[in-house]
Amino acid sequence: MFIFIGLGVVLACVFGSFVASGGAIGPLLASMPFELLTILGAAVGTFLMANSIAALKHVPGGLKKAMKGSRYSRTDYLQLLSLMFHFTKLAASKGVMALEPHIEDPESSTIFGQFPQIRDNKRVSSFICDYLRMVGMNATDPYQIDDVMGAELKKNFREEMHLPHAFQSLSDALPALGIVAAVLGVIKTMASISKPPIVLGEMIAGALVGTFLGILLAYGIMAPIAGRLGGVVEEEAAYLELVRAVIVAHLQGNAPQVSVEIGRKTIPTDFMPTFQEVEEAVSEAPAG
């Protein structure tokens, strides 16, 4: 939503100030379709050359993510803390083998059943089950588990950040592509040097529209989208970091309440529930 609001403000201020200052909007609008065709066509071509098919398939989802923001809210973090509390409590009281029915079949797990949103998020539920399964296989060295989980999370983060970097690279290229369009306009103008000054003036103005559009598209549209998408990826990465913190704290011998509190401290400030909220959520949810 804020992307559209910001875009509206950018376009209104740029074109509104141009018209208010006495600028003629006619030549601008007349040249814009051809200049946009040159710039956007070249931009799409360079984007296709620079990215793999797998990356291109993520473009619609990336744009949607940039518009909607992080998929995880304060409530989602609170539920994840509650889920991890029940798992660590079960492992501490009955041993890690008691986790096996829950991690081998999350669909029928009574603990996962209390948190259907987490259970249905295959990426998150698989991440939790994979590492709890490793713990059940006697991989109980907290430093080793921390390193393995950290390596996977870094890999996931690099992969998720590919699209924001691709958008930023496209943003960096757009001003140069605008200059390409402008140069083509200048060439066209020089080829008509014998025409009257008034005609040449309009042709030069049209050529400069290419430079204008390249800069506007780069810094007024693509760069903000790239930055917003990168911010959302960073926010969502903290969700699985919480799982890592709780499991490592549990393997270090901490009580379930302490492990969950350590995990809570990793949550971004804007989404972090209070200690009392976590305590109430944990006490209200029935044990699996």
Side-chain angles (χ1 to χ4, degrees), residues 203-248:
M203 295 179 71
I204 293 174
L208 292 175
V209 171
T211 303
F212 159 72
L213 289 176
I215 296 173
L216 178 63
L217 291 171
Y219 301 114
I221 299 179
M222 284 308 305
I225 290 177
R228 175 57 178 156
L229 181 56
V232 173
V233 170
E234 290 180 358
E235 288 178 5
E236 293 187 347
Y239 197 66
L240 292 181
E241 285 286 355
L242 187 157
V243 176
R244 173 191 179 188
V246 173
I247 290 179
V248 171

mmCIF file of all heavy atoms in Angstrom, residues 203-248:
data_model
loop_
_atom_site.group_PDB
_atom_site.id
_atom_site.type_symbol
_atom_site.label_atom_id
_atom_site.label_comp_id
_atom_site.label_asym_id
_atom_site.label_seq_id
_atom_site.Cartn_x
_atom_site.Cartn_y
_atom_site.Cartn_z
ATOM 1 N N MET A 203 12.350 18.537 -31.055
ATOM 2 C CA MET A 203 13.049 17.263 -31.175
ATOM 3 C C MET A 203 14.106 17.101 -30.075
ATOM 4 O O MET A 203 14.269 16.012 -29.507
ATOM 5 C CB MET A 203 13.691 17.155 -32.560
ATOM 6 C CG MET A 203 12.688 17.099 -33.699
ATOM 7 S SD MET A 203 13.458 16.995 -35.339
ATOM 8 C CE MET A 203 14.103 15.325 -35.299
ATOM 9 N N ILE A 204 14.800 18.168 -29.742
ATOM 10 C CA ILE A 204 15.790 18.114 -28.656
ATOM 11 C C ILE A 204 15.094 17.886 -27.318
ATOM 12 O O ILE A 204 15.559 17.114 -26.466
ATOM 13 C CB ILE A 204 16.614 19.406 -28.635
ATOM 14 C CG1 ILE A 204 17.495 19.502 -29.887
ATOM 15 C CG2 ILE A 204 17.487 19.472 -27.378
ATOM 16 C CD1 ILE A 204 18.234 20.806 -30.031
ATOM 17 N N ALA A 205 13.951 18.569 -27.126
ATOM 18 C CA ALA A 205 13.187 18.359 -25.894
ATOM 19 C C ALA A 205 12.759 16.902 -25.764
ATOM 20 O O ALA A 205 12.823 16.300 -24.681
ATOM 21 C CB ALA A 205 11.968 19.280 -25.888
ATOM 22 N N GLY A 206 12.313 16.318 -26.886
ATOM 23 C CA GLY A 206 11.919 14.915 -26.866
ATOM 24 C C GLY A 206 13.078 13.998 -26.542
ATOM 25 O O GLY A 206 12.921 12.988 -25.844
ATOM 26 N N ALA A 207 14.268 14.343 -27.042
ATOM 27 C CA ALA A 207 15.444 13.516 -26.752
ATOM 28 C C ALA A 207 15.787 13.558 -25.271
ATOM 29 O O ALA A 207 16.154 12.531 -24.676
ATOM 30 C CB ALA A 207 16.630 13.999 -27.584
ATOM 31 N N LEU A 208 15.643 14.739 -24.654
ATOM 32 C CA LEU A 208 15.970 14.864 -23.231
ATOM 33 C C LEU A 208 14.988 14.117 -22.331
ATOM 34 O O LEU A 208 15.296 13.829 -21.172
ATOM 35 C CB LEU A 208 16.013 16.343 -22.840
ATOM 36 C CG LEU A 208 17.159 17.147 -23.462
ATOM 37 C CD1 LEU A 208 17.041 18.616 -23.101
ATOM 38 C CD2 LEU A 208 18.510 16.592 -23.006
ATOM 39 N N VAL A 209 13.815 13.828 -22.880
ATOM 40 C CA VAL A 209 12.839 13.053 -22.103
ATOM 41 C C VAL A 209 13.415 11.683 -21.735
ATOM 42 O O VAL A 209 13.128 11.140 -20.665
ATOM 43 C CB VAL A 209 11.523 12.903 -22.904
ATOM 44 C CG1 VAL A 209 10.585 11.910 -22.216
ATOM 45 C CG2 VAL A 209 10.840 14.251 -23.030
ATOM 46 N N GLY A 210 14.247 11.125 -22.597
ATOM 47 C CA GLY A 210 14.852 9.826 -22.309
ATOM 48 C C GLY A 210 15.723 9.871 -21.060
ATOM 49 O O GLY A 210 15.631 8.988 -20.191
ATOM 50 N N THR A 211 16.564 10.885 -20.945
ATOM 51 C CA THR A 211 17.394 11.035 -19.746
ATOM 52 C C THR A 211 16.529 11.217 -18.505
ATOM 53 O O THR A 211 16.773 10.613 -17.452
ATOM 54 C CB THR A 211 18.337 12.232 -19.907
ATOM 55 O OG1 THR A 211 19.133 12.057 -21.074
ATOM 56 C CG2 THR A 211 19.239 12.368 -18.700
ATOM 57 N N PHE A 212 15.497 12.052 -18.642
ATOM 58 C CA PHE A 212 14.581 12.303 -17.524
ATOM 59 C C PHE A 212 13.916 11.016 -17.049
ATOM 60 O O PHE A 212 13.888 10.705 -15.852
ATOM 61 C CB PHE A 212 13.533 13.332 -17.960
ATOM 62 C CG PHE A 212 12.286 13.322 -17.129
ATOM 63 C CD1 PHE A 212 12.283 13.796 -15.831
ATOM 64 C CD2 PHE A 212 11.092 12.820 -17.655
ATOM 65 C CE1 PHE A 212 11.127 13.780 -15.066
ATOM 66 C CE2 PHE A 212 9.937 12.803 -16.898
ATOM 67 C CZ PHE A 212 9.947 13.281 -15.600
ATOM 68 N N LEU A 213 13.379 10.230 -17.988
ATOM 69 C CA LEU A 213 12.676 9.003 -17.614
ATOM 70 C C LEU A 213 13.620 7.964 -17.009
ATOM 71 O O LEU A 213 13.253 7.253 -16.064
ATOM 72 C CB LEU A 213 11.968 8.419 -18.840
ATOM 73 C CG LEU A 213 10.743 9.186 -19.344
ATOM 74 C CD1 LEU A 213 10.212 8.547 -20.617
ATOM 75 C CD2 LEU A 213 9.657 9.231 -18.279
ATOM 76 N N GLY A 214 14.825 7.864 -17.562
ATOM 77 C CA GLY A 214 15.776 6.900 -17.019
ATOM 78 C C GLY A 214 16.093 7.184 -15.558
ATOM 79 O O GLY A 214 16.117 6.277 -14.710
ATOM 80 N N ILE A 215 16.311 8.466 -15.234
ATOM 81 C CA ILE A 215 16.615 8.845 -13.853
ATOM 82 C C ILE A 215 15.396 8.658 -12.953
ATOM 83 O O ILE A 215 15.500 8.159 -11.827
ATOM 84 C CB ILE A 215 17.114 10.296 -13.807
ATOM 85 C CG1 ILE A 215 18.431 10.418 -14.569
ATOM 86 C CG2 ILE A 215 17.290 10.765 -12.370
ATOM 87 C CD1 ILE A 215 18.928 11.830 -14.727
ATOM 88 N N LEU A 216 14.215 9.053 -13.450
ATOM 89 C CA LEU A 216 12.998 8.917 -12.646
ATOM 90 C C LEU A 216 12.681 7.451 -12.355
ATOM 91 O O LEU A 216 12.353 7.094 -11.210
ATOM 92 C CB LEU A 216 11.824 9.565 -13.389
ATOM 93 C CG LEU A 216 10.455 9.465 -12.685
ATOM 94 C CD1 LEU A 216 10.487 10.196 -11.351
ATOM 95 C CD2 LEU A 216 9.349 10.022 -13.576
ATOM 96 N N LEU A 217 12.770 6.594 -13.358
ATOM 97 C CA LEU A 217 12.490 5.170 -13.158
ATOM 98 C C LEU A 217 13.491 4.534 -12.203
ATOM 99 O O LEU A 217 13.141 3.655 -11.407
ATOM 100 C CB LEU A 217 12.515 4.440 -14.502
ATOM 101 C CG LEU A 217 11.374 4.750 -15.480
ATOM 102 C CD1 LEU A 217 11.652 4.119 -16.835
ATOM 103 C CD2 LEU A 217 10.046 4.266 -14.928
ATOM 104 N N ALA A 218 14.760 4.987 -12.278
ATOM 105 C CA ALA A 218 15.803 4.398 -11.444
ATOM 106 C C ALA A 218 15.625 4.773 -9.982
ATOM 107 O O ALA A 218 15.494 3.902 -9.107
ATOM 108 C CB ALA A 218 17.180 4.831 -11.944
ATOM 109 N N TYR A 219 15.615 6.082 -9.712
ATOM 110 C CA TYR A 219 15.651 6.554 -8.328
ATOM 111 C C TYR A 219 14.282 6.836 -7.735
ATOM 112 O O TYR A 219 14.157 6.955 -6.510
ATOM 113 C CB TYR A 219 16.522 7.812 -8.241
ATOM 114 C CG TYR A 219 17.925 7.572 -8.713
ATOM 115 C CD1 TYR A 219 18.414 8.186 -9.864
ATOM 116 C CD2 TYR A 219 18.773 6.696 -8.032
ATOM 117 C CE1 TYR A 219 19.704 7.947 -10.319
ATOM 118 C CE2 TYR A 219 20.059 6.452 -8.474
ATOM 119 C CZ TYR A 219 20.518 7.083 -9.627
ATOM 120 O OH TYR A 219 21.791 6.839 -10.067
ATOM 121 N N GLY A 220 13.267 6.916 -8.608
ATOM 122 C CA GLY A 220 11.931 7.163 -8.098
ATOM 123 C C GLY A 220 11.072 5.924 -7.976
ATOM 124 O O GLY A 220 10.065 5.941 -7.269
ATOM 125 N N ILE A 221 11.473 4.822 -8.653
ATOM 126 C CA ILE A 221 10.647 3.613 -8.634
ATOM 127 C C ILE A 221 11.467 2.366 -8.275
ATOM 128 O O ILE A 221 11.218 1.721 -7.255
ATOM 129 C CB ILE A 221 9.937 3.414 -9.993
ATOM 130 C CG1 ILE A 221 9.016 4.600 -10.275
ATOM 131 C CG2 ILE A 221 9.147 2.112 -9.994
ATOM 132 C CD1 ILE A 221 8.285 4.522 -11.599
ATOM 133 N N MET A 222 12.460 2.019 -9.113
ATOM 134 C CA MET A 222 13.148 0.744 -8.922
ATOM 135 C C MET A 222 13.985 0.698 -7.644
ATOM 136 O O MET A 222 13.972 -0.305 -6.921
ATOM 137 C CB MET A 222 14.033 0.436 -10.132
ATOM 138 C CG MET A 222 13.275 -0.044 -11.352
ATOM 139 S SD MET A 222 12.159 -1.433 -11.034
ATOM 140 C CE MET A 222 13.262 -2.628 -10.305
ATOM 141 N N ALA A 223 14.730 1.754 -7.359
ATOM 142 C CA ALA A 223 15.567 1.748 -6.152
ATOM 143 C C ALA A 223 14.731 1.619 -4.880
ATOM 144 O O ALA A 223 15.075 0.830 -3.991
ATOM 145 C CB ALA A 223 16.445 2.996 -6.109
ATOM 146 N N PRO A 224 13.614 2.362 -4.734
ATOM 147 C CA PRO A 224 12.783 2.159 -3.541
ATOM 148 C C PRO A 224 12.201 0.751 -3.433
ATOM 149 O O PRO A 224 12.117 0.194 -2.333
ATOM 150 C CB PRO A 224 11.672 3.207 -3.716
ATOM 151 C CG PRO A 224 12.263 4.253 -4.586
ATOM 152 C CD PRO A 224 13.159 3.520 -5.523
ATOM 153 N N ILE A 225 11.801 0.167 -4.581
ATOM 154 C CA ILE A 225 11.263 -1.203 -4.546
ATOM 155 C C ILE A 225 12.346 -2.183 -4.111
ATOM 156 O O ILE A 225 12.095 -3.078 -3.295
ATOM 157 C CB ILE A 225 10.693 -1.582 -5.925
ATOM 158 C CG1 ILE A 225 9.425 -0.789 -6.219
ATOM 159 C CG2 ILE A 225 10.403 -3.086 -5.993
ATOM 160 C CD1 ILE A 225 8.832 -1.049 -7.590
ATOM 161 N N ALA A 226 13.558 -2.015 -4.648
ATOM 162 C CA ALA A 226 14.667 -2.898 -4.265
ATOM 163 C C ALA A 226 14.973 -2.771 -2.773
ATOM 164 O O ALA A 226 15.174 -3.772 -2.078
ATOM 165 C CB ALA A 226 15.905 -2.568 -5.092
ATOM 166 N N GLY A 227 14.997 -1.540 -2.278
ATOM 167 C CA GLY A 227 15.265 -1.336 -0.856
ATOM 168 C C GLY A 227 14.181 -1.901 0.024
ATOM 169 O O GLY A 227 14.462 -2.503 1.064
ATOM 170 N N ARG A 228 12.927 -1.728 -0.387
ATOM 171 C CA ARG A 228 11.806 -2.248 0.397
ATOM 172 C C ARG A 228 11.830 -3.774 0.444
ATOM 173 O O ARG A 228 11.644 -4.385 1.496
ATOM 174 C CB ARG A 228 10.490 -1.764 -0.208
ATOM 175 C CG ARG A 228 9.236 -2.335 0.444
ATOM 176 C CD ARG A 228 9.189 -2.050 1.918
ATOM 177 N NE ARG A 228 7.964 -2.567 2.525
ATOM 178 C CZ ARG A 228 7.855 -2.877 3.803
ATOM 179 N NH1 ARG A 228 8.890 -2.719 4.623
ATOM 180 N NH2 ARG A 228 6.714 -3.333 4.280
ATOM 181 N N LEU A 229 12.071 -4.399 -0.707
ATOM 182 C CA LEU A 229 12.120 -5.856 -0.764
ATOM 183 C C LEU A 229 13.259 -6.389 0.087
ATOM 184 O O LEU A 229 13.098 -7.387 0.808
ATOM 185 C CB LEU A 229 12.273 -6.323 -2.208
ATOM 186 C CG LEU A 229 12.322 -7.838 -2.431
ATOM 187 C CD1 LEU A 229 11.099 -8.518 -1.850
ATOM 188 C CD2 LEU A 229 12.447 -8.154 -3.918
ATOM 189 N N GLY A 230 14.416 -5.738 0.038
ATOM 190 C CA GLY A 230 15.537 -6.163 0.877
ATOM 191 C C GLY A 230 15.202 -6.067 2.357
ATOM 192 O O GLY A 230 15.566 -6.948 3.148
ATOM 193 N N GLY A 231 14.485 -5.008 2.745
ATOM 194 C CA GLY A 231 14.081 -4.865 4.144
ATOM 195 C C GLY A 231 13.124 -5.954 4.583
ATOM 196 O O GLY A 231 13.223 -6.476 5.700
ATOM 197 N N VAL A 232 12.200 -6.323 3.709
ATOM 198 C CA VAL A 232 11.243 -7.389 4.037
ATOM 199 C C VAL A 232 11.960 -8.726 4.194
ATOM 200 O O VAL A 232 11.659 -9.508 5.110
ATOM 201 C CB VAL A 232 10.148 -7.482 2.959
ATOM 202 C CG1 VAL A 232 9.249 -8.702 3.193
ATOM 203 C CG2 VAL A 232 9.308 -6.211 2.938
ATOM 204 N N VAL A 233 12.926 -9.005 3.307
ATOM 205 C CA VAL A 233 13.695 -10.247 3.408
ATOM 206 C C VAL A 233 14.438 -10.306 4.736
ATOM 207 O O VAL A 233 14.472 -11.357 5.399
ATOM 208 C CB VAL A 233 14.683 -10.364 2.224
ATOM 209 C CG1 VAL A 233 15.653 -11.516 2.442
ATOM 210 C CG2 VAL A 233 13.925 -10.566 0.917
ATOM 211 N N GLU A 234 15.020 -9.203 5.157
ATOM 212 C CA GLU A 234 15.740 -9.172 6.434
ATOM 213 C C GLU A 234 14.786 -9.399 7.602
ATOM 214 O O GLU A 234 15.124 -10.103 8.560
ATOM 215 C CB GLU A 234 16.450 -7.832 6.586
ATOM 216 C CG GLU A 234 17.637 -7.649 5.640
ATOM 217 C CD GLU A 234 18.307 -6.313 5.815
ATOM 218 O OE1 GLU A 234 17.829 -5.502 6.645
ATOM 219 O OE2 GLU A 234 19.319 -6.061 5.133
ATOM 220 N N GLU A 235 13.597 -8.805 7.536
ATOM 221 C CA GLU A 235 12.610 -9.000 8.597
ATOM 222 C C GLU A 235 12.188 -10.467 8.694
ATOM 223 O O GLU A 235 12.097 -11.025 9.793
ATOM 224 C CB GLU A 235 11.385 -8.123 8.343
ATOM 225 C CG GLU A 235 11.625 -6.637 8.567
ATOM 226 C CD GLU A 235 10.387 -5.815 8.265
ATOM 227 O OE1 GLU A 235 9.331 -6.415 7.968
ATOM 228 O OE2 GLU A 235 10.471 -4.571 8.331
ATOM 229 N N GLU A 236 11.919 -11.086 7.545
ATOM 230 C CA GLU A 236 11.452 -12.468 7.559
ATOM 231 C C GLU A 236 12.548 -13.443 7.969
ATOM 232 O O GLU A 236 12.256 -14.522 8.497
ATOM 233 C CB GLU A 236 10.893 -12.845 6.184
ATOM 234 C CG GLU A 236 9.612 -12.092 5.835
ATOM 235 C CD GLU A 236 8.971 -12.592 4.555
ATOM 236 O OE1 GLU A 236 9.636 -13.350 3.814
ATOM 237 O OE2 GLU A 236 7.807 -12.224 4.289
ATOM 238 N N ALA A 237 13.809 -13.078 7.744
ATOM 239 C CA ALA A 237 14.915 -13.956 8.135
ATOM 240 C C ALA A 237 14.973 -14.128 9.645
ATOM 241 O O ALA A 237 15.444 -15.159 10.139
ATOM 242 C CB ALA A 237 16.234 -13.396 7.604
ATOM 243 N N ALA A 238 14.488 -13.132 10.383
ATOM 244 C CA ALA A 238 14.530 -13.207 11.843
ATOM 245 C C ALA A 238 13.602 -14.291 12.382
ATOM 246 O O ALA A 238 13.798 -14.759 13.511
ATOM 247 C CB ALA A 238 14.153 -11.852 12.442
ATOM 248 N N TYR A 239 12.616 -14.709 11.593
ATOM 249 C CA TYR A 239 11.657 -15.710 12.068
ATOM 250 C C TYR A 239 12.345 -17.048 12.320
ATOM 251 O O TYR A 239 12.145 -17.681 13.367
ATOM 252 C CB TYR A 239 10.544 -15.854 11.035
ATOM 253 C CG TYR A 239 9.290 -16.525 11.553
ATOM 254 C CD1 TYR A 239 8.509 -15.911 12.517
ATOM 255 C CD2 TYR A 239 8.867 -17.755 11.067
ATOM 256 C CE1 TYR A 239 7.347 -16.505 12.987
ATOM 257 C CE2 TYR A 239 7.707 -18.354 11.515
ATOM 258 C CZ TYR A 239 6.952 -17.722 12.483
ATOM 259 O OH TYR A 239 5.799 -18.322 12.946
ATOM 260 N N LEU A 240 13.167 -17.480 11.374
ATOM 261 C CA LEU A 240 13.883 -18.745 11.558
ATOM 262 C C LEU A 240 15.077 -18.584 12.497
ATOM 263 O O LEU A 240 15.521 -19.562 13.105
ATOM 264 C CB LEU A 240 14.334 -19.300 10.208
ATOM 265 C CG LEU A 240 13.217 -19.776 9.276
ATOM 266 C CD1 LEU A 240 13.796 -20.327 7.978
ATOM 267 C CD2 LEU A 240 12.359 -20.838 9.957
ATOM 268 N N GLU A 241 15.602 -17.377 12.625
ATOM 269 C CA GLU A 241 16.669 -17.142 13.598
ATOM 270 C C GLU A 241 16.179 -17.423 15.008
ATOM 271 O O GLU A 241 16.939 -17.863 15.867
ATOM 272 C CB GLU A 241 17.181 -15.706 13.495
ATOM 273 C CG GLU A 241 18.073 -15.433 12.288
ATOM 274 C CD GLU A 241 19.462 -16.036 12.437
ATOM 275 O OE1 GLU A 241 19.772 -16.584 13.514
ATOM 276 O OE2 GLU A 241 20.229 -15.968 11.457
ATOM 277 N N LEU A 242 14.903 -17.177 15.235
ATOM 278 C CA LEU A 242 14.315 -17.468 16.547
ATOM 279 C C LEU A 242 14.385 -18.963 16.837
ATOM 280 O O LEU A 242 14.730 -19.382 17.957
ATOM 281 C CB LEU A 242 12.861 -16.980 16.561
ATOM 282 C CG LEU A 242 12.081 -17.033 17.885
ATOM 283 C CD1 LEU A 242 10.944 -16.028 17.832
ATOM 284 C CD2 LEU A 242 11.493 -18.425 18.140
ATOM 285 N N VAL A 243 14.050 -19.787 15.846
ATOM 286 C CA VAL A 243 14.110 -21.248 16.013
ATOM 287 C C VAL A 243 15.532 -21.670 16.346
ATOM 288 O O VAL A 243 15.755 -22.491 17.255
ATOM 289 C CB VAL A 243 13.626 -21.954 14.730
ATOM 290 C CG1 VAL A 243 13.770 -23.466 14.868
ATOM 291 C CG2 VAL A 243 12.192 -21.577 14.421
ATOM 292 N N ARG A 244 16.489 -21.126 15.653
ATOM 293 C CA ARG A 244 17.902 -21.439 15.904
ATOM 294 C C ARG A 244 18.288 -21.091 17.338
ATOM 295 O O ARG A 244 18.919 -21.893 18.037
ATOM 296 C CB ARG A 244 18.766 -20.671 14.911
ATOM 297 C CG ARG A 244 20.269 -20.766 15.157
ATOM 298 C CD ARG A 244 20.993 -19.757 14.281
ATOM 299 N NE ARG A 244 22.429 -19.770 14.474
ATOM 300 C CZ ARG A 244 23.253 -18.873 13.939
ATOM 301 N NH1 ARG A 244 22.754 -17.903 13.169
ATOM 302 N NH2 ARG A 244 24.547 -18.944 14.153
ATOM 303 N N ALA A 245 17.896 -19.905 17.785
ATOM 304 C CA ALA A 245 18.277 -19.457 19.127
ATOM 305 C C ALA A 245 17.683 -20.366 20.200
ATOM 306 O O ALA A 245 18.364 -20.713 21.180
ATOM 307 C CB ALA A 245 17.828 -18.012 19.336
ATOM 308 N N VAL A 246 16.422 -20.767 20.031
ATOM 309 C CA VAL A 246 15.770 -21.596 21.049
ATOM 310 C C VAL A 246 16.386 -22.988 21.093
ATOM 311 O O VAL A 246 16.660 -23.528 22.188
ATOM 312 C CB VAL A 246 14.254 -21.673 20.774
ATOM 313 C CG1 VAL A 246 13.599 -22.675 21.724
ATOM 314 C CG2 VAL A 246 13.614 -20.301 20.935
ATOM 315 N N ILE A 247 16.615 -23.599 19.938
ATOM 316 C CA ILE A 247 17.181 -24.956 19.919
ATOM 317 C C ILE A 247 18.589 -24.966 20.506
ATOM 318 O O ILE A 247 18.943 -25.851 21.296
ATOM 319 C CB ILE A 247 17.170 -25.510 18.484
ATOM 320 C CG1 ILE A 247 15.733 -25.787 18.036
ATOM 321 C CG2 ILE A 247 18.002 -26.801 18.393
ATOM 322 C CD1 ILE A 247 15.609 -26.314 16.616
ATOM 323 N N VAL A 248 19.408 -24.001 20.134
ATOM 324 C CA VAL A 248 20.780 -23.942 20.662
ATOM 325 C C VAL A 248 20.752 -23.710 22.167
ATOM 326 O O VAL A 248 21.511 -24.342 22.918
ATOM 327 C CB VAL A 248 21.582 -22.834 19.948
ATOM 328 C CG1 VAL A 248 22.920 -22.613 20.639
ATOM 329 C CG2 VAL A 248 21.800 -23.209 18.487
#
